[in-house]
Amino acid sequence: MNFYRQNSDLELARLIAEDDPQAFGEIYQRYKGVLFLHAYRMLGDDDEAKDILQELFTVLWVNRKQIKLHTSFSSYLYKALRNRIFDAIAHKKVEQKYIESLAWFMEEGECVTDQQIREQELTQIIESEISLLPPRMREVFEMSRNTDLSYKQIAEELHISDKTVKKQVSSALHILKHKIDLVFIVVLISLKM
C-alpha cells in the first residue's frame, strides 16, 4: 500500500482505469474526509452526505474506464460531488413542493370535493322539488329561470297575463323555499347526530 501513497493522483487515475482496486482505495482514503466535510457543509445532513459520497465513489469505480481528466483528480472529484449535491438539493425542493401540494389537497381539496358533492345534491333536491310543482306553475317557473324572457314575454308565449306569470313564479319560489328550508333543517339535524 505504501507504493500507492507515493503515486500522484494522475498516476492513480491511470491505475484505476486499469482495474486496480488498491489505487482506487488510495484515492478513496485521500479524499473521503474532505469530500464528506464539503458535502456535509452544503447539505447539513450527515447521512445524506455519506450517501452522496458513497454514490460518487461507486460511480467512479463503475465508470473508471471512461473517465477523462482535463484538470486535477481532486478538481474532478469536487465537481462531481458538487453536481450530485445540487441534484440532491433540487430533488428535495421538488419533493417539498409535492408534499406541500399534497398537504394542501388533503386539507383544501377534501373541502372542495365535499362542497361540490353538497352542491350537486342540493341541485338534485331543487330539481326534484321543481318537478313536483303543478305543471303550469313548473312551466312558468322554468321559463323564467332558464330563458332570458321577461314576465311579459312569457305571458305572451303562454297566452296568459303577465300578472299570472308573476304570481306563478312567486308561488313557485315560496313553495321551493319552504321545502328546501325543511331539507336544510333535516340535514343539519343529521350532521349533529
Side-chain angles (χ1 to χ4, degrees):
M1 195 70 158
N2 215 2
F3 165 75
Y4 292 100
R5 284 189 195 135
Q6 296 171 5
N7 286 326
S8 69
D9 287 353
L10 289 176
E11 290 169 332
L12 291 172
R14 184 185 52 77
L15 291 170
I16 291 170
E18 294 171 1
D19 302 329
D20 189 329
Q22 290 178 321
F24 178 79
E26 178 60 29
I27 287 292
Y28 178 78
Q29 290 302 319
R30 282 184 192 179
Y31 290 102
K32 72 175 181 178
V34 293
L35 291 173
F36 170 78
L37 288 174
H38 184 65
Y40 180 75
R41 274 194 298 261
M42 290 186 76
L43 296 167
D45 184 289
D46 191 60
D47 290 333
E48 196 170 6
K50 286 178 185 174
D51 288 346
I52 285 180
L53 195 60
Q54 180 179 357
E55 182 184 321
L56 172 70
F57 279 105
T58 301
V59 170
L60 176 66
W61 180 253
V62 170
N63 296 327
R64 64 191 173 274
K65 294 192 184 296
Q66 289 83 29
I67 294 175
K68 304 283 187 255
L69 295 177
H70 303 289
T71 60
S72 68
F73 204 34
S74 62
S75 294
Y76 171 84
L77 290 172
Y78 275 106
K79 184 176 180 181
L81 180 70
R82 187 191 71 213
N83 291 340
R84 291 187 186 290
I85 290 169
F86 288 158
D87 288 346
I89 291 170
H91 180 73
K92 269 194 215 175
K93 286 180 181 177
V94 168
E95 193 175 73
Q96 185 60 35
K97 283 183 182 179
Y98 176 76
I99 289 169
E100 287 170 3
S101 70
L102 186 60
W104 177 87
F105 178 77
M106 290 175 69
E107 290 176 18
E108 300 296 326
E110 188 174 304
C111 294
V112 170
T113 304
D114 287 347
Q115 182 180 350
Q116 288 172 339
I117 290 170
R118 284 193 294 269
E119 285 175 7
Q120 288 173 352
E121 289 173 350
L122 181 59
T123 301
Q124 288 173 347
I125 290 168
I126 292 170
E127 288 175 7
S128 173
E129 292 302 326
I130 290 172
S131 72
L132 297 175
L133 292 172
R136 187 59 149 190
M137 184 184 290
R138 183 178 69 237
E139 182 181 20
V140 170
F141 180 77
E142 286 177 339
M143 284 181 79
S144 74
R145 293 298 178 244
N146 299 332
T147 65
D148 290 331
L149 300 175
S150 67
Y151 286 173
K152 186 173 183 174
Q153 291 168 322
I154 292 170
E156 287 173 2
E157 193 167 314
L158 297 177
H159 307 294
I160 56 177
S161 73
D162 56 334
K163 288 182 183 180
T164 303
V165 171
K166 187 175 182 179
K167 175 108 172 93
Q168 293 282 1
V169 170
S170 178
S171 296
L173 286 172
H174 180 72
I175 291 168
L176 292 173
K177 181 182 182 314
H178 178 70
K179 288 185 176 184
I180 292 171
D181 283 347
L182 288 175
V183 169
F184 279 131
I185 290 170
V186 169
V187 169
L188 286 175
I189 291 171
S190 68
L191 288 175
K192 290 182 179 181
M193 292 183 160

